Amino acid sequence: MNSKLFSKTLIQFGRCYSTSYINKEALYSKISPLGNPATSLGPELDSWVSDGKEVRVAELQRIIRDLRKRKRFTQALQVSEWMNKNGICAFSPTEHAVQLNLIGRVHGYLSAENYFYNLRDEEKTDKTYGALLHCYVQQKQIDKALSHVQKMREMGFASSPLTYNDIMCLYANLGQHEKVPEILNEMKKNKISPDNLSYRICINAYVTQSNIMAMEALLKEMENQPHIAVDWNTYAVVANFYIKAGLTDKAIDALKKAEERLEKNGGNEFNHLMSLYASIGNKAEVLRLWDLQKSACRRHINSDYITMLDSLVKLGDVEEAEELLKEWESSGNCYDFRVPNIVFVGYSKKGLYKKAEVILKELMEKGKAITPNSWARLAEGYLDEGEMTKVVDCMKAAVSRNVESKEWKPSTKVITAILGWLGDEGSAEDVEACVASLRTVIPVSRRMYHALIKANIRGGKEVNGILESMKTDKINEDKETKKVLGLRV
């Protein structure tokens, strides 16, 4: 082997494992970590070329596919536009279709239409027509979608299941599930063989309508089609339907069929089946699939731990979930608050607030990020228990975490309780500190001033300055204010 190191990443069904082989720096390894949506990839690509590094079409296409898979559509569009602008390759209808789809996702269907209309006639093929249809479907533009499909029929571009699948999805997304089977029947009438997705969309429509007989009949038809290999996902949909209908035995039979069709390294598929088994309380099957998953996929990643922890919490085994959390902490996986949060929520739901608090405190001691909502949830729990000192402490912690989450707002119920309690029992200094911190997350209120007035009166302090501040903040005295002021001796 060449002594130069090279970089290689093995990607299996969305599960990424870094190998120990590293050769020359790859463009993919530079672009992939730039997950901040505000980061523009054009300058990064320009810099790469300015440094004299190679740009390969295949790698750029791979980067676009990866960014789309991760829903980083704006950045995927930036790479596609950079390729087109710099003439990296002559855009075929396929590349135009990809760019058109991304434009629709990022800028809306009107921009996608404009791009489509500016294509040359020879570039307006079934692929680009199909991409524009998909934009209409995603944005629920039913009139435009149906008109566009008619044009596709006239031009002979509506001869694949993809077009019909899009229209079925459109009706499903609009809640018009009764029209989905009509489109499937139209496909058959036009001698276009439905594919796996066609059947699954229609099965989903019957599921939504709680039509078990029609769903079972369609599944049987699907199973008897020589050109169809029923996939695991279809059986998972059927199993979920049976679970909701309380038909546990039929659900288990469908889950077994789904498992038989799993890919050997289908980690995400294992997760889905584990969740379904957990919803029917079958812990033995959850544990069996957990072991199979690790054997098939070499190691558990964060999404796997999230599924397993959630399953254990659903099954009522929060203590066992906490043990698994320790395994995750030592796994070497990157930190993701969603993982410990599942156990935290599990304890909170069971009213075990002290255990829930321990989890948050341990994370803080390790310098890990915690959302303000977690502390706020704990505050609500302690409020139900009447432990007001704990409520105040938890709310302080929540407000301090709000630096990273500007959109969070505290519960009115909790804030009202805290201000009422501090006004009656806290010192003037405690109330002032509380109000000062609350003003960083919510507008100043009459309740805050009433708490300040009460605490200062009890402490024998003057409140004229507080009343002046009320006026400055345009909060007029009301009956309650006068009642509070009446506490003065």
Side-chain angles (χ1 to χ4, degrees):
M1 180 181 291
N2 192 305
S3 60
K4 291 183 179 179
L5 300 173
F6 66 95
S7 176
K8 179 180 177 183
T9 300
L10 175 63
I11 302 180
Q12 299 175 324
F13 296 91
R15 303 170 69 84
C16 300
Y17 306 108
S18 294
T19 69
S20 58
Y21 304 99
I22 299 188
N23 192 4
K24 61 183 180 181
E25 184 184 9
L27 177 58
Y28 176 84
S29 64
K30 181 178 178 63
I31 295 295
S32 183
L34 303 176
N36 188 334
T39 302
S40 177
L41 298 187
E44 297 291 338
L45 293 166
D46 288 336
S47 173
W48 181 269
V49 173
S50 296
D51 291 342
K53 295 175 181 175
E54 182 184 9
V55 176
R56 292 181 292 112
V57 173
E59 185 165 24
L60 289 170
Q61 291 171 334
R62 174 197 172 195
I63 289 169
I64 292 171
R65 284 195 302 272
D66 182 71
L67 293 173
R68 291 176 75 188
K69 186 186 297 182
R70 299 192 201 184
K71 302 188 185 304
R72 289 162 58 179
F73 300 116
T74 299
Q75 290 185 328
L77 177 59
Q78 290 166 358
V79 176
S80 179
E81 289 176 335
W82 186 87
M83 285 178 66
N84 201 0
K85 183 182 76 172
N86 289 280
I88 301 300
C89 68
F91 263 37
S92 70
T94 299
E95 278 79 38
H96 281 301
V98 170
Q99 186 159 331
L100 197 155
N101 177 271
L102 289 169
I103 290 170
R105 285 184 176 274
V106 176
H107 300 300
Y109 72 89
L110 291 175
S111 295
E113 281 181 339
N114 186 57
Y115 184 86
F116 177 80
Y117 294 143
N118 282 306
L119 292 174
R120 299 192 303 271
D121 288 344
E122 60 268 25
E123 294 168 333
K124 293 178 181 177
T125 66
D126 59 328
K127 289 183 171 55
T128 47
Y129 264 92
L132 182 56
L133 172 63
H134 198 63
C135 291
Y136 291 143
V137 169
Q138 285 178 327
Q139 292 163 56
K140 301 180 182 179
Q141 297 295 316
I142 187 165
D143 292 337
K144 283 184 171 288
L146 295 179
S147 174
H148 191 69
V149 164
Q150 185 55 40
K151 288 181 186 175
M152 292 177 70
R153 288 193 181 105
E154 293 168 1
M155 300 186 72
F157 291 158
S159 57
S160 76
L162 186 60
T163 303
Y164 290 87
N165 292 347
D166 265 339
I167 297 303
M168 284 194 285
C169 281
L170 177 59
Y171 282 129
N173 291 339
L174 291 170
Q176 300 179 29
H177 302 285
E178 71 284 353
K179 292 189 177 181
V180 173
E182 295 175 10
I183 302 300
L184 186 69
N185 290 331
E186 184 183 333
M187 282 181 72
K188 298 173 187 176
K189 183 180 177 181
N190 292 335
K191 302 188 184 309
I192 297 172
S193 298
D195 60 13
N196 242 310
L197 181 58
S198 311
Y199 279 110
R200 189 161 64 247
I201 295 168
C202 197
I203 284 173
N204 264 313
Y206 286 136
V207 167
T208 304
Q209 295 173 292
S210 299
N211 191 339
I212 291 180
M213 290 183 63
M215 182 273 289
E216 289 181 330
L218 188 61
L219 178 62
K220 188 172 182 180
E221 176 189 320
M222 187 180 181
E223 290 172 330
N224 290 329
Q225 294 296 318
H227 70 287
I228 294 285
V230 186
D231 60 3
W232 76 273
N233 200 1
T234 301
Y235 283 115
V237 168
V238 171
N240 192 35
F241 187 16
Y242 284 138
I243 289 169
K244 290 178 179 177
L247 302 170
T248 305
D249 290 341
K250 285 191 171 186
I252 291 173
D253 181 59
L255 286 168
K256 292 298 181 187
K257 289 179 179 178
E259 185 180 342
E260 289 169 3
R261 289 157 177 80
L262 289 184
E263 297 287 343
K264 290 182 180 179
N265 50 9
N268 297 330
E269 290 87 338
F270 277 111
N271 288 336
H272 191 66
L273 298 190
M274 281 191 287
S275 292
L276 291 174
Y277 273 119
S279 67
I280 57 176
N282 196 326
K283 182 178 177 181
E285 287 299 302
V286 172
L287 294 175
R288 182 182 65 80
L289 288 173
W290 175 250
D291 290 337
L292 278 177
Q293 183 188 53
K294 187 169 185 179
S295 174
C297 302
R298 300 194 312 174
R299 61 185 285 261
H300 290 127
I301 61 176
N302 282 349
S303 60
D304 305 333
Y305 280 105
I306 287 171
T307 299
M308 187 59 182
L309 288 168
D310 188 56
S311 297
L312 289 172
V313 169
K314 279 182 186 174
L315 292 163
D317 295 325
V318 186
E319 289 79 6
E320 192 169 334
E322 188 171 6
E323 287 301 311
L324 183 62
L325 183 60
K326 293 175 183 176
E327 178 188 313
W328 167 74
E329 289 172 343
S330 61
S331 68
N333 289 356
C334 65
Y335 177 73
D336 183 341
F337 177 67
R338 293 176 301 166
V339 182
N341 189 54
I342 293 169
V343 183
F344 164 78
V345 171
Y347 277 133
S348 298
K349 285 182 177 178
K350 293 183 77 171
L352 300 171
Y353 302 116
K354 286 183 171 55
K355 285 197 169 188
E357 185 178 0
V358 166
I359 291 175
L360 296 187
K361 285 185 173 178
E362 286 180 351
L363 290 173
M364 284 186 68
E365 289 169 2
K366 294 173 183 175
K368 302 299 185 182
I370 302 170
T371 64
N373 195 52
S374 298
W375 284 109
R377 181 172 189 149
L378 198 55
E380 290 187 39
Y382 280 129
L383 178 59
D384 292 338
E385 298 287 310
E387 296 192 40
M388 290 306 301
T389 302
K390 286 284 191 182
V391 175
V392 174
D393 289 342
C394 290
M395 188 52 63
K396 283 180 182 176
V399 173
S400 70
R401 303 265 83 72
N402 194 53
V403 175
E404 296 86 24
S405 181
K406 296 293 185 184
E407 294 181 0
W408 172 79
K409 298 298 176 190
S411 159
T412 302
K413 174 185 172 183
V414 175
I415 295 304
T416 300
I418 288 174
L419 292 172
W421 181 72
L422 285 176
D424 292 336
E425 300 186 32
S427 68
E429 291 74 19
D430 288 339
V431 180
E432 286 169 7
C434 177
V435 169
S437 65
L438 287 176
R439 290 184 71 156
T440 66
V441 292
I442 56 175
V444 65
S445 69
R446 195 184 307 278
R447 287 193 186 96
M448 293 181 187
Y449 277 112
H450 287 176
L452 285 167
I453 293 168
K454 281 184 179 180
N456 277 274
I457 288 174
R458 282 191 297 99
K461 296 184 178 182
E462 182 57 59
V463 296
N464 289 336
I466 299 174
L467 294 173
E468 286 299 319
S469 295
M470 276 185 72
K471 290 179 182 178
T472 302
D473 286 324
K474 298 180 180 179
I475 298 175
N476 299 322
E477 295 182 23
D478 63 359
K479 290 181 181 179
E480 181 64 25
T481 311
K482 289 180 171 58
K483 185 179 177 180
V484 172
L485 291 170
L487 296 172
R488 289 181 291 189
V489 178

